[in-house]
Amino acid sequence: MAGRTVAVVGGGASGVLATRELLRGGDRVALIEPDEPGGGLAYGTARPWHLLNSRAGAMSADPGDPGHFARWAGCSTAEFRPRAEYGRYLRDVFGTLSGVEVIQERATGLSAHGVALESGREVRADEVVVATGNPAAAQPAARPDHPDYIPDPWRPGVLDAIPSDVPVLLVGAGLTAIDVVLTLTADGRRDAPITAVSRRGQLPLAHTPLPAPPFAPPLDARHTLRDLVRIVRAEAEKAGDWRAVVDGLRPNIDQIWGSLTNEEQEQFLRHLARPWECHRHRMAPSVGATIDALREEGRFEVRAGGIRSMTAPPPGGLLVELEAGVQWFGAVVNCAGPGRLPAAAGSFAGSLLDAGHARVGPHGLGLDIDPDGRLIGADGKAREGLWLIGPLRRGAQWETTAVPEIRAQAHALIDRCK
């Protein structure tokens, strides 16, 4: 089935990796992306102090050459490089590809013969790969319509506009919050404190300067969630460094996730997902050291709990009711992780849901797919020639947001019709 025309919707990391592999398999590709391919939210909006949270050795675009990115960057495989640099790498990789047509428009949905564009044009294609990245961020229930509430910290200029002498509240304590803290404190002039609030009040943990060899604990599909937790904790204690066990679990996470019952998956999401994310998606060592210093200096604090209300007093800013009481902040920045579908679906994914070409996947974390990565429609049937790669596989799979897994999904597209 090689030699078909494939439309790839989305030009971030997922789209670039998919395009590269499809071309290697002999297909013709039309990449649909309104911005420059290779940026995306993660890499296109990064500032110099934003580092990758994986080592350079894990970030190659070439599944057959693990050292490709490290050689390109002129660094060791153990280093944590700037995210903006990785965006340049992806653009460089994309620039070496031949046989791809770039269509700088916004895709609005499927058409009779391919993909419909915002201009009214149609991109004719035999197959479509959806590579649109993460769902939209969750928003706090008390979200106000107010200029001092920032729903999207990646919008150009919004963080630079926050005065350095007002306290700032971050809603969420994950890697996005870490990025925002680094930006707000980058010039050293911030006098007022930054507070992050999340349900558990847990920050991501940090990598060690040098990697430890991964160790896979003895797990199989017969284990219950309770068994899995007990075994992982025991093996981490024996290993001496829990990072080795967490990294050793990674290749088997999707198999483990799929072996859990729906009830066990819900229990994991309620009680264990956040601790797992803190251990799995870690800060670079230098970033961790910076955050520790800011906390010790009293310039950054983390609180557990939620937001009960937000009101706008006449002088400006926002009065936020936290569990400890009401406090005034000059700005509130939403740093929450991806929201649940269908509400958080982007425009293209939303159009697929509305038209019945896709359905919401398990737990509302993404779209539903069959074992090969085809989207499942509202009628419960897999859609031939309609593929999904990247973060929107979350729910049907668990480990699907990082470059190594997306790279493997892209590579599998070569064999999709065999």
Side-chain angles (χ1 to χ4, degrees):
M1 299 291 289
R4 295 166 68 83
T5 298
V6 183
V8 175
V9 181
S14 297
V16 169
L17 296 177
T19 297
R20 183 182 185 277
E21 295 303 303
L22 289 164
L23 292 171
R24 289 180 63 231
D27 293 301
R28 298 176 296 275
V29 178
L31 179 76
I32 305 170
E33 167 59 51
D35 300 315
E36 183 182 7
L41 186 62
Y43 311 115
T45 57
R47 308 289 280 273
W49 44 84
H50 293 149
L51 302 184
L52 295 168
N53 65 318
S54 293
R55 301 179 194 275
M59 301 298 289
S60 171
D62 187 343
D65 184 3
H68 188 265
F69 170 59
R71 290 197 309 277
W72 180 92
C75 68
S76 78
T77 57
E79 285 187 49
F80 293 86
R81 303 297 293 181
R83 287 213 307 270
E85 178 184 64
Y86 191 70
R88 293 194 295 274
Y89 166 70
L90 288 176
R91 291 190 289 274
D92 194 51
V93 167
F94 189 80
T96 67
L97 304 178
S98 59
V100 56
E101 178 188 6
V102 179
I103 300 165
Q104 289 193 281
E105 285 199 51
R106 192 172 303 280
T108 59
L110 297 186
S111 63
H113 303 289
V115 178
L117 303 177
E118 197 169 43
S119 65
R121 293 198 303 130
E122 177 188 55
V123 177
R124 297 180 72 92
D126 302 303
E127 298 182 69
V128 176
V129 175
V130 181
T132 51
N134 275 304
Q139 298 289 336
R143 170 186 177 174
D145 183 12
H146 190 275
D148 292 324
Y149 174 75
I150 299 172
D152 177 12
W154 302 114
R155 193 156 49 87
V158 293
L159 298 181
D160 297 328
I162 298 175
S164 62
D165 59 350
V166 301
V168 176
L169 178 67
L170 311 183
V171 184
L175 290 171
T176 296
I178 298 299
D179 286 343
V180 171
V181 171
L182 295 177
T183 296
L184 292 177
T185 60
D187 58 10
R189 293 187 298 106
R190 168 156 290 278
D191 302 318
I194 302 168
T195 301
V197 62
S198 70
R199 185 166 64 93
R200 290 177 173 268
Q202 293 177 316
L203 289 176
L205 298 170
H207 285 274
T208 52
L210 294 176
F215 171 76
L219 303 175
D220 61 47
R222 296 170 298 174
H223 289 127
T224 64
L225 179 60
R226 187 182 297 273
D227 293 334
L228 294 171
V229 172
R230 176 179 51 79
I231 293 169
V232 169
R233 284 176 174 166
E235 294 296 333
E237 187 173 345
K238 283 196 299 183
D241 185 349
W242 53 264
R243 296 169 185 82
V245 176
V246 170
D247 294 344
L249 280 170
R250 183 169 174 175
N252 301 314
I253 283 295
D254 286 339
Q255 181 182 358
I256 294 169
W257 174 255
S259 72
L260 299 176
T261 65
N262 185 74
E263 182 181 2
E264 286 177 319
Q265 290 180 352
E266 287 286 357
Q267 290 174 348
F268 176 86
L269 292 171
R270 283 196 303 271
H271 304 297
L272 296 172
R274 181 58 189 156
W276 169 259
E277 294 292 313
C278 290
H279 288 76
R280 163 66 185 86
H281 296 287
R282 307 191 283 273
M283 295 183 283
S286 62
V287 172
T290 298
I291 294 298
D292 286 344
L294 290 170
R295 297 182 76 180
E296 289 172 8
E297 295 164 5
R299 300 169 65 195
F300 175 49
E301 67 168 332
V302 185
R303 299 182 191 175
I307 294 176
R308 296 176 178 174
S309 67
M310 277 191 267
T311 56
L318 291 161
L319 285 172
V320 183
E321 185 182 4
L322 303 170
E323 293 192 4
V326 177
Q327 185 173 345
W328 181 85
F329 293 95
V332 177
V333 184
N334 183 45
C335 300
R340 299 290 182 102
L341 273 64
S347 59
F348 187 76
S351 75
L352 297 178
L353 291 170
D354 291 343
H357 298 303
R359 70 181 183 185
V360 174
H363 317 291
L365 299 175
L367 299 176
D368 207 4
I369 55 170
D370 74 358
D372 294 320
R374 297 178 184 87
L375 280 167
I376 296 177
D379 58 3
K381 298 178 180 178
R383 292 293 191 265
E384 290 297 327
L386 183 57
W387 306 87
L388 176 68
I389 73 167
L392 279 175
R393 285 191 179 193
R394 195 80 179 268
Q397 296 176 329
W398 182 257
E399 194 67 52
T400 185
T401 61
V403 165
E405 285 71 34
I406 298 172
R407 183 177 60 216
Q409 294 169 17
H411 184 64
L413 291 171
I414 294 176
D415 299 323
R416 67 194 185 280
C417 296
K418 291 183 180 178

